[in-house]
Amino acid sequence: MELRDEVHQEMILLRQRMPEVNGSIACSVDGLPIASDMAGDIEQAGALSSALLALSRRMAGMVDKGTFEETLISGSNGYAAFYAAGPKIVLTVLARPGANLGLLRLEGRRTAANLAAITTRMSLTQ
């Protein structure tokens, strides 16, 4: 199975575990989309996700908060959460208003860890 397929499968599992999720995208740290489970401009979402990851990592380091884990944006129409999925992928998860933020953080981190493991496994076999 290709990286894109395995990543997309994790996104499907995320929606099954948390029905409040209404979209997700995984992209490289360079902003290139790997897989998406969301509507809209995927290329632009990938580029912005990559930029936010870079800024968040830099801010976490600058203020001595350790290794970056996540950034959460709360808006009037829901949430966008961004997770480092290992050194090569950023995962963006969109959720509806009223979503359980504790569960979103838990499931987002779980999915990001799964994506990092997939990437590591695939790079070892190639």
Side-chain angles (χ1 to χ4, degrees):
M1 193 181 297
E2 288 187 30
L3 175 64
R4 182 178 315 277
D5 297 329
E6 287 198 45
V7 169
H8 190 256
Q9 184 61 37
E10 285 297 323
M11 293 173 167
I12 292 169
L13 292 172
L14 173 62
R15 275 200 197 219
Q16 289 173 354
R17 291 190 308 263
M18 189 171 180
E20 295 91 348
V21 168
N22 60 351
S24 58
I25 182 173
C27 63
S28 70
V29 294
D30 297 329
L32 300 173
I34 297 168
S36 175
D37 183 27
M38 62 181 265
D41 188 345
I42 304 306
E43 286 76 24
Q44 187 173 13
L48 290 171
S49 295
S50 172
L52 186 58
L53 174 72
L55 289 171
S56 296
R57 281 182 169 164
R58 188 167 176 188
M59 183 66 162
M62 186 184 84
V63 296
D64 198 27
K65 295 301 177 189
T67 304
F68 168 77
E69 293 179 1
E70 69 185 324
T71 296
L72 177 68
I73 296 174
S74 176
S76 59
N77 290 329
Y79 306 96
F82 302 82
Y83 302 90
K88 298 180 180 181
I89 296 177
V90 57
L91 171 67
T92 300
V93 180
L94 308 177
R96 292 179 181 83
N100 180 327
L101 291 182
L103 185 59
L104 175 63
R105 294 181 72 208
L106 180 72
E107 292 298 342
R109 287 180 182 182
R110 177 180 179 183
T111 302
N114 291 345
L115 297 184
I118 289 167
T119 304
T120 300
R121 180 177 43 78
M122 291 198 132
S123 64
L124 291 175
T125 59
Q126 292 179 354

